[in-house]
Amino acid sequence: MMTRSDSGLLGEDEPAPVLSFNAAGGSPFLVTGDHAGNAIPRALGDLGLSEADRTRHIAWDLGVRELGMALASALDAPFIHQPYSRLVIDCNRDPGHPEAAPALSDGSEVPRNADLAAEALVARVEAIHAPYHRQIARTLASRRAARRPTILLALHSFTPALGGVMRPWHVGILHDQGDTRLARASLAALTACPNVIVGDNEPYRMDDTDYSVPRHAYEHGLPYAEIEVRQDLLVDAAGIAACSGMLCAAFWSAREAVGL
Ligand SMILES: [Zn+2]
């Protein structure tokens, strides 16, 4: 079994690259959080970033860790999440994608990512990206072996304003190829909620730039939704509980659309 020190990048006392919450959850849902933390391996210092940049949206999906745990509890689902900053390695990008370890994000330079050597990128992938995706793949394989169905919910959050443009949506459901029934049914359920502005492939359109859903859902024909929640709705416990309740109700009713 691989230990953290085998990766060469993470010390034994640093967070594991994959965290599991409610692993025994018994419903068809599996929740993932690719950007649920902003940890930086000690060996990489602070990536050359200010504290402000290490804690703003470019580093992670604010609120997703807490929302993921609330939603997983409500849905009786496991929540597999990743605690390292996406500026170290973005687990929703192919490791070969130019944005996998961006040198520039929302106007901030990431000095430690400028002219990143291939070996340095490989070390980050081996320490964080690969074990995280292996854990998801293993979990899905064991569910298939046990003939347990899975609906994959990939949870993200987005900043309320980008490039000076306000984003009106409270929540977005992203979908592209594969089995989109669950995504479309949850869009319909959320759209029926009063006073909720729902984005259909907003604020982002899902495409091949995404990595997690294509890799884990398409190949095995899993119903899925990629979810984006606006970060100002997740700043306190009351907001997180409200979002979790709304999403839980929508996914639970949408589940009927895929017959699971
Ligand atoms: Zn994200």
Side-chain angles (χ1 to χ4, degrees):
M1 187 172 165
M2 197 183 90
T3 65
R4 271 168 250 169
S5 60
D6 290 337
S7 73
L9 186 62
L10 302 180
E12 288 287 353
D13 59 334
E14 295 191 85
V18 196
L19 301 176
S20 243
F21 172 80
N22 199 31
S27 80
F29 292 101
L30 173 67
V31 184
T32 61
D34 297 345
H35 305 138
N38 65 343
I40 299 174
R42 191 187 307 117
L44 301 182
D46 56 13
L47 290 177
L49 293 165
S50 67
E51 186 183 354
D53 276 337
R54 294 197 307 274
T55 51
R56 75 186 185 103
H57 78 94
I58 60 171
W60 60 325
D61 284 353
L62 287 100
V64 153
R65 179 174 166 272
E66 294 78 7
L67 178 63
M69 292 195 285
L71 184 61
S73 296
L75 290 171
D76 188 26
F79 175 43
I80 299 177
H81 56 107
Q82 201 290 102
Y84 286 92
S85 173
R86 69 168 143 226
L87 298 177
V88 175
I89 186 73
D90 189 334
C91 285
N92 194 29
R93 293 288 177 269
D94 185 279
H97 192 279
E99 289 175 13
L104 182 70
S105 185
D106 189 19
S108 291
E109 289 182 10
V110 187
R112 195 88 189 228
N113 289 354
D115 303 317
L116 188 64
E119 314 83 72
L121 179 65
V122 166
R124 298 184 193 186
V125 172
E126 288 183 352
I128 296 166
H129 190 287
Y132 172 67
H133 285 291
R134 263 200 309 271
Q135 175 72 33
I136 297 171
R138 268 198 211 118
T139 302
L140 292 172
S142 74
R143 291 168 75 107
R144 276 196 306 280
R147 306 237 181 281
R148 279 187 62 192
T150 299
I151 298 168
L152 184 66
L153 300 179
L155 197 55
H156 295 264
S157 69
F158 65 96
T159 187
L162 190 67
V165 178
M166 296 301 294
R167 294 152 137 192
W169 311 279
H170 297 108
V171 58
I173 298 292
L174 283 48
H175 53 91
D176 185 22
Q177 302 169 43
D179 185 343
T180 59
R181 291 174 299 162
L182 185 281
R184 291 177 191 285
S186 55
L187 266 171
L190 288 165
T191 302
C193 295
N195 306 317
V196 177
I197 302 175
V198 185
D200 180 352
N201 270 326
E202 297 282 6
Y204 304 105
R205 166 162 291 277
M206 197 174 123
D207 58 24
D208 291 341
T209 310
D210 288 89
Y211 180 80
S212 297
V213 164
R215 170 169 169 179
H216 297 294
Y218 292 178
E219 184 183 342
H220 299 290
L222 301 182
Y224 68 90
E226 186 162 316
I227 304 120
E228 290 276 1
V229 180
R230 208 175 65 198
Q231 288 165 359
D232 58 313
L233 305 177
L234 303 175
V235 293
D236 58 25
I240 287 160
C243 285
S244 171
M246 176 180 74
L247 291 172
C248 178
F251 293 133
W252 208 254
S253 73
R255 175 181 143 242
E256 292 173 15
V258 294
L260 297 177

Coordinates of all heavy atoms in Angstrom, one line a residue, residues 83-143:
P83 N -8.4 17.8 -0.6 CA -8.2 19.0 0.3 C -7.1 20.0 -0.3 O -6.9 21.0 0.4 CB -7.7 18.4 1.6 CG -7.0 17.1 1.2 CD -7.7 16.6 -0.1
Y84 N -6.4 19.7 -1.4 CA -5.3 20.5 -1.8 C -5.8 21.6 -2.9 O -6.7 21.3 -3.6 CB -4.2 19.7 -2.4 CG -3.4 19.0 -1.3 CD1 -3.7 17.7 -0.9 CD2 -2.4 19.7 -0.6 CE1 -3.1 17.1 0.2 CE2 -1.7 19.1 0.4 CZ -2.1 17.8 0.8 OH -1.4 17.3 1.9
S85 N -5.2 22.7 -2.9 CA -5.6 23.8 -3.7 C -5.5 23.4 -5.2 O -4.6 22.7 -5.6 CB -4.6 25.0 -3.5 OG -4.9 26.0 -4.5
R86 N -6.5 23.9 -6.0 CA -6.4 23.6 -7.4 C -5.3 24.3 -8.1 O -4.9 24.1 -9.2 CB -7.7 24.0 -8.1 CG -8.0 25.5 -8.1 CD -9.2 25.7 -9.1 NE -10.0 26.8 -8.5 CZ -11.3 26.8 -8.4 NH1 -12.0 25.8 -8.8 NH2 -12.0 27.8 -7.9
L87 N -4.6 25.3 -7.4 CA -3.5 25.9 -7.9 C -2.2 25.0 -7.8 O -1.2 25.2 -8.5 CB -3.2 27.3 -7.3 CG -4.3 28.3 -7.4 CD1 -4.0 29.6 -6.7 CD2 -4.6 28.6 -8.9
V88 N -2.3 24.0 -6.9 CA -1.2 23.0 -6.9 C -1.4 22.0 -8.0 O -0.5 21.8 -8.8 CB -1.3 22.3 -5.5 CG1 -0.3 21.1 -5.5 CG2 -1.1 23.2 -4.3
I89 N -2.6 21.5 -8.1 CA -3.0 20.6 -9.2 C -4.5 20.6 -9.3 O -5.2 20.4 -8.3 CB -2.4 19.2 -9.1 CG1 -2.7 18.4 -10.4 CG2 -2.9 18.5 -7.9 CD1 -1.9 18.7 -11.6
D90 N -5.1 20.9 -10.5 CA -6.5 20.9 -10.6 C -7.1 19.6 -10.9 O -6.8 19.0 -12.0 CB -6.9 21.9 -11.7 CG -8.4 22.2 -11.8 OD1 -9.2 21.4 -11.3 OD2 -8.8 23.3 -12.2
C91 N -7.8 19.0 -10.0 CA -8.3 17.6 -10.2 C -9.5 17.5 -11.1 O -10.0 16.5 -11.4 CB -8.7 17.0 -8.8 SG -7.2 16.6 -7.9
N92 N -9.9 18.7 -11.6 CA -11.0 18.6 -12.7 C -10.4 19.0 -14.1 O -11.1 19.5 -14.9 CB -12.2 19.6 -12.3 CG -13.4 19.3 -13.2 OD1 -13.6 18.1 -13.7 ND2 -14.2 20.3 -13.5
R93 N -9.1 18.8 -14.2 CA -8.4 19.0 -15.5 C -7.6 17.7 -15.8 O -7.0 17.1 -14.8 CB -7.5 20.2 -15.5 CG -8.2 21.5 -15.4 CD -8.9 21.9 -16.6 NE -9.7 23.2 -16.5 CZ -10.9 23.3 -16.1 NH1 -11.6 22.2 -15.8 NH2 -11.5 24.4 -16.0
D94 N -7.5 17.4 -17.0 CA -6.5 16.4 -17.4 C -5.1 16.9 -17.0 O -4.8 18.1 -17.2 CB -6.6 16.1 -18.9 CG -5.7 15.0 -19.3 OD1 -4.4 15.2 -19.5 OD2 -6.2 13.9 -19.5
P95 N -4.3 16.0 -16.4 CA -2.9 16.5 -16.0 C -2.1 17.1 -17.1 O -1.3 18.0 -16.8 CB -2.2 15.2 -15.5 CG -3.4 14.3 -15.2 CD -4.5 14.6 -16.1
G96 N -2.4 16.8 -18.4 CA -1.7 17.4 -19.5 C -2.3 18.8 -19.9 O -1.8 19.4 -20.8
H97 N -3.4 19.2 -19.4 CA -4.1 20.4 -19.8 C -3.3 21.6 -19.3 O -2.8 21.6 -18.1 CB -5.5 20.4 -19.2 CG -6.4 21.5 -19.8 ND1 -6.3 22.8 -19.3 CD2 -7.3 21.5 -20.7 CE1 -7.2 23.6 -20.1 NE2 -7.8 22.7 -20.9
P98 N -3.2 22.7 -20.1 CA -2.4 23.9 -19.6 C -2.9 24.5 -18.3 O -2.1 25.1 -17.6 CB -2.6 24.9 -20.8 CG -3.1 24.1 -21.9 CD -3.7 22.8 -21.4
E99 N -4.2 24.3 -18.0 CA -4.7 24.8 -16.7 C -4.6 23.9 -15.5 O -5.1 24.2 -14.5 CB -6.2 25.2 -16.9 CG -6.5 26.4 -17.8 CD -8.0 26.6 -18.0 OE1 -8.8 25.9 -17.3 OE2 -8.3 27.3 -18.9
A100 N -3.9 22.7 -15.7 CA -3.8 21.8 -14.6 C -3.0 22.4 -13.4 O -3.3 22.1 -12.3 CB -3.1 20.5 -15.1
A101 N -2.1 23.2 -13.7 CA -1.3 24.0 -12.7 C -1.1 25.4 -13.3 O 0.0 25.7 -13.8 CB 0.0 23.3 -12.4
P102 N -2.1 26.2 -13.2 CA -2.1 27.5 -13.9 C -1.0 28.4 -13.4 O -0.8 28.6 -12.2 CB -3.5 28.0 -13.8 CG -4.0 27.5 -12.5 CD -3.4 26.1 -12.4
A103 N -0.4 29.2 -14.3 CA 0.6 30.2 -13.9 C -0.1 31.5 -13.7 O 0.5 32.5 -13.2 CB 1.7 30.3 -14.9
L104 N -1.4 31.6 -14.2 CA -2.2 32.8 -14.0 C -3.6 32.4 -13.8 O -4.1 31.6 -14.5 CB -2.1 33.7 -15.3 CG -2.8 35.0 -15.4 CD1 -2.1 36.0 -14.4 CD2 -2.8 35.6 -16.8
S105 N -4.2 33.0 -12.8 CA -5.6 32.7 -12.5 C -6.4 34.0 -12.1 O -6.0 34.6 -11.1 CB -5.8 31.6 -11.5 OG -7.1 31.2 -11.3
D106 N -7.4 34.4 -12.8 CA -8.2 35.5 -12.5 C -7.3 36.7 -12.1 O -7.5 37.4 -11.1 CB -9.2 35.2 -11.3 CG -10.2 36.4 -11.1 OD1 -10.4 37.2 -12.0 OD2 -10.8 36.4 -10.0
G107 N -6.3 37.0 -12.9 CA -5.5 38.1 -12.8 C -4.3 38.0 -11.8 O -3.5 38.9 -11.7
S108 N -4.2 36.9 -11.1 CA -3.1 36.7 -10.2 C -2.1 35.7 -10.8 O -2.5 34.6 -11.2 CB -3.7 36.1 -8.8 OG -4.4 37.0 -8.2
E109 N -0.9 36.1 -10.7 CA 0.2 35.2 -11.1 C 0.5 34.2 -10.0 O 0.4 34.6 -8.9 CB 1.5 36.0 -11.5 CG 1.3 36.8 -12.7 CD 2.6 37.6 -13.1 OE1 3.6 37.3 -12.5 OE2 2.5 38.4 -14.0
V110 N 0.8 33.0 -10.4 CA 1.2 32.0 -9.5 C 2.6 31.7 -9.7 O 3.0 30.9 -10.6 CB 0.3 30.7 -9.7 CG1 0.6 29.7 -8.6 CG2 -1.2 31.0 -9.7
P111 N 3.5 32.4 -9.0 CA 5.0 32.3 -9.3 C 5.5 30.9 -9.4 O 6.3 30.6 -10.3 CB 5.6 33.2 -8.2 CG 4.5 34.1 -7.8 CD 3.2 33.3 -7.9
R112 N 5.1 30.1 -8.5 CA 5.7 28.7 -8.4 C 5.3 27.8 -9.6 O 5.8 26.8 -9.8 CB 5.3 28.1 -7.1 CG 6.1 26.9 -6.7 CD 7.4 27.2 -5.9 NE 8.1 26.0 -5.8 CZ 8.7 25.6 -4.6 NH1 8.5 26.3 -3.5 NH2 9.4 24.4 -4.5
N113 N 4.2 28.3 -10.3 CA 3.7 27.5 -11.5 C 4.3 28.0 -12.8 O 4.1 27.4 -13.8 CB 2.2 27.6 -11.5 CG 1.6 26.7 -10.4 OD1 2.3 26.1 -9.7 ND2 0.2 26.8 -10.3
A114 N 5.0 29.1 -12.7 CA 5.6 29.7 -14.0 C 6.7 28.8 -14.4 O 7.6 28.4 -13.6 CB 6.1 31.1 -13.7
D115 N 6.7 28.4 -15.7 CA 7.8 27.5 -16.3 C 7.9 26.3 -15.4 O 9.1 25.9 -15.1 CB 9.1 28.3 -16.4 CG 9.0 29.5 -17.2 OD1 8.3 29.5 -18.3 OD2 9.5 30.6 -16.8
L116 N 6.8 25.7 -15.0 CA 6.9 24.5 -14.2 C 7.5 23.3 -14.9 O 7.1 23.0 -16.0 CB 5.4 24.1 -13.8 CG 5.3 23.0 -12.7 CD1 5.9 23.5 -11.4 CD2 3.8 22.7 -12.6
A117 N 8.5 22.7 -14.3 CA 9.2 21.6 -14.9 C 8.3 20.4 -15.0 O 7.5 20.2 -14.1 CB 10.5 21.3 -14.1
A118 N 8.5 19.6 -16.0 CA 7.6 18.4 -16.2 C 7.7 17.5 -15.0 O 6.6 17.0 -14.6 CB 8.0 17.7 -17.5
E119 N 8.9 17.3 -14.4 CA 9.0 16.4 -13.3 C 8.2 17.0 -12.1 O 7.6 16.2 -11.3 CB 10.4 16.2 -12.8 CG 11.4 15.9 -14.0 CD 11.9 17.2 -14.6 OE1 12.7 17.9 -14.0 OE2 11.5 17.4 -15.8
A120 N 8.2 18.3 -11.9 CA 7.5 18.9 -10.8 C 6.0 18.7 -11.0 O 5.3 18.4 -10.0 CB 7.8 20.4 -10.7
L121 N 5.5 18.8 -12.2 CA 4.1 18.5 -12.4 C 3.7 17.1 -12.2 O 2.7 16.8 -11.5 CB 3.7 18.9 -13.9 CG 2.3 18.7 -14.3 CD1 1.3 19.6 -13.5 CD2 2.0 18.9 -15.8
V122 N 4.6 16.2 -12.6 CA 4.4 14.8 -12.4 C 4.3 14.5 -10.9 O 3.5 13.7 -10.4 CB 5.5 13.9 -13.1 CG1 5.5 12.5 -12.6 CG2 5.3 14.0 -14.6
A123 N 5.2 15.1 -10.1 CA 5.1 14.9 -8.7 C 3.8 15.3 -8.0 O 3.3 14.6 -7.2 CB 6.3 15.6 -8.0
R124 N 3.3 16.4 -8.5 CA 2.0 16.8 -8.0 C 0.9 15.9 -8.4 O -0.1 15.6 -7.6 CB 1.7 18.3 -8.5 CG 2.6 19.3 -8.0 CD 2.2 20.7 -8.5 NE 3.3 21.7 -8.4 CZ 3.1 23.0 -8.6 NH1 1.9 23.4 -9.0 NH2 4.1 23.8 -8.5
V125 N 0.9 15.4 -9.7 CA -0.1 14.5 -10.2 C 0.0 13.2 -9.3 O -1.1 12.7 -8.9 CB 0.1 14.2 -11.7 CG1 -0.8 13.1 -12.1 CG2 -0.1 15.5 -12.5
E126 N 1.2 12.7 -9.1 CA 1.3 11.4 -8.4 C 0.9 11.5 -7.0 O 0.4 10.6 -6.4 CB 2.7 10.9 -8.6 CG 3.0 10.4 -10.0 CD 4.4 9.8 -10.1 OE1 5.2 9.9 -9.2 OE2 4.7 9.3 -11.2
A127 N 1.1 12.7 -6.4 CA 0.8 12.8 -5.0 C -0.7 13.1 -4.7 O -1.2 12.7 -3.7 CB 1.7 14.0 -4.4
I128 N -1.3 13.8 -5.6 CA -2.7 14.3 -5.3 C -3.7 13.8 -6.4 O -4.7 13.2 -6.0 CB -2.6 15.8 -5.3 CG1 -1.7 16.3 -4.1 CG2 -4.0 16.4 -5.1 CD1 -1.3 17.7 -4.1
H129 N -3.5 14.2 -7.6 CA -4.5 14.0 -8.7 C -4.8 12.5 -8.9 O -5.9 12.0 -8.9 CB -3.9 14.6 -10.0 CG -4.9 14.7 -11.1 ND1 -5.3 13.6 -11.9 CD2 -5.5 15.7 -11.7 CE1 -6.1 14.0 -12.8 NE2 -6.3 15.3 -12.8
A130 N -3.7 11.7 -9.0 CA -3.8 10.3 -9.3 C -4.5 9.5 -8.1 O -5.5 8.8 -8.4 CB -2.5 9.6 -9.7
P131 N -4.1 9.7 -6.9 CA -4.8 8.9 -5.8 C -6.2 9.4 -5.6 O -7.1 8.5 -5.3 CB -3.9 9.2 -4.6 CG -2.9 10.3 -4.9 CD -2.8 10.3 -6.4
Y132 N -6.5 10.6 -5.8 CA -7.9 11.1 -5.7 C -8.8 10.4 -6.7 O -9.8 9.8 -6.4 CB -7.9 12.6 -5.9 CG -9.3 13.2 -6.0 CD1 -10.2 13.2 -4.9 CD2 -9.8 13.8 -7.2 CE1 -11.4 13.7 -5.0 CE2 -11.0 14.3 -7.2 CZ -11.9 14.3 -6.1 OH -13.1 14.9 -6.2
H133 N -8.3 10.4 -8.0 CA -9.2 9.7 -9.0 C -9.2 8.2 -8.9 O -10.2 7.6 -9.2 CB -8.8 10.2 -10.4 CG -9.2 11.6 -10.7 ND1 -10.6 11.9 -10.8 CD2 -8.6 12.8 -10.7 CE1 -10.7 13.2 -11.0 NE2 -9.5 13.8 -10.9
R134 N -8.1 7.7 -8.4 CA -8.1 6.2 -8.2 C -9.1 5.8 -7.2 O -9.8 4.8 -7.3 CB -6.7 5.8 -7.7 CG -5.8 5.2 -8.8 CD -4.7 4.3 -8.2 NE -3.9 5.0 -7.1 CZ -2.8 5.8 -7.3 NH1 -2.4 6.0 -8.6 NH2 -2.2 6.3 -6.3
Q135 N -9.2 6.6 -6.1 CA -10.2 6.3 -5.1 C -11.6 6.4 -5.6 O -12.4 5.5 -5.3 CB -10.0 7.3 -3.9 CG -11.0 7.2 -2.8 CD -10.8 6.0 -1.9 OE1 -9.7 5.6 -1.7 NE2 -11.9 5.4 -1.5
I136 N -11.9 7.4 -6.4 CA -13.3 7.5 -7.0 C -13.5 6.2 -7.9 O -14.5 5.6 -7.8 CB -13.4 8.8 -7.8 CG1 -13.3 10.0 -6.9 CG2 -14.8 8.8 -8.5 CD1 -13.3 11.3 -7.6
A137 N -12.5 5.9 -8.7 CA -12.6 4.8 -9.7 C -12.8 3.5 -8.9 O -13.7 2.6 -9.3 CB -11.4 4.7 -10.6
R138 N -12.1 3.3 -7.8 CA -12.2 2.1 -7.0 C -13.6 2.0 -6.3 O -14.2 0.9 -6.3 CB -11.1 2.1 -5.9 CG -9.9 1.4 -6.3 CD -9.1 1.1 -5.0 NE -7.7 1.2 -5.3 CZ -6.8 2.0 -4.8 NH1 -7.2 2.8 -3.8 NH2 -5.6 2.0 -5.2
T139 N -14.0 3.1 -5.8 CA -15.3 3.1 -5.2 C -16.4 2.8 -6.2 O -17.3 1.9 -5.9 CB -15.6 4.5 -4.6 OG1 -14.6 4.8 -3.7 CG2 -17.0 4.6 -3.9
L140 N -16.3 3.3 -7.4 CA -17.3 3.0 -8.4 C -17.2 1.5 -8.9 O -18.2 0.9 -9.1 CB -17.1 3.9 -9.7 CG -17.4 5.4 -9.4 CD1 -17.0 6.2 -10.6 CD2 -18.9 5.6 -9.1
A141 N -16.0 1.0 -8.9 CA -15.8 -0.4 -9.3 C -16.4 -1.3 -8.3 O -17.1 -2.3 -8.6 CB -14.3 -0.7 -9.6
S142 N -16.2 -1.0 -7.0 CA -16.8 -1.9 -6.0 C -18.3 -1.8 -6.0 O -19.0 -2.8 -5.7 CB -16.1 -1.6 -4.6 OG -16.6 -0.5 -4.1
R143 N -18.8 -0.6 -6.3 CA -20.3 -0.5 -6.3 C -20.8 -1.3 -7.5 O -21.9 -2.0 -7.4 CB -20.7 0.9 -6.4 CG -20.5 1.7 -5.2 CD -20.6 3.2 -5.3 NE -22.0 3.6 -5.4 CZ -22.6 4.3 -4.5 NH1 -22.0 4.6 -3.3 NH2 -23.9 4.7 -4.6

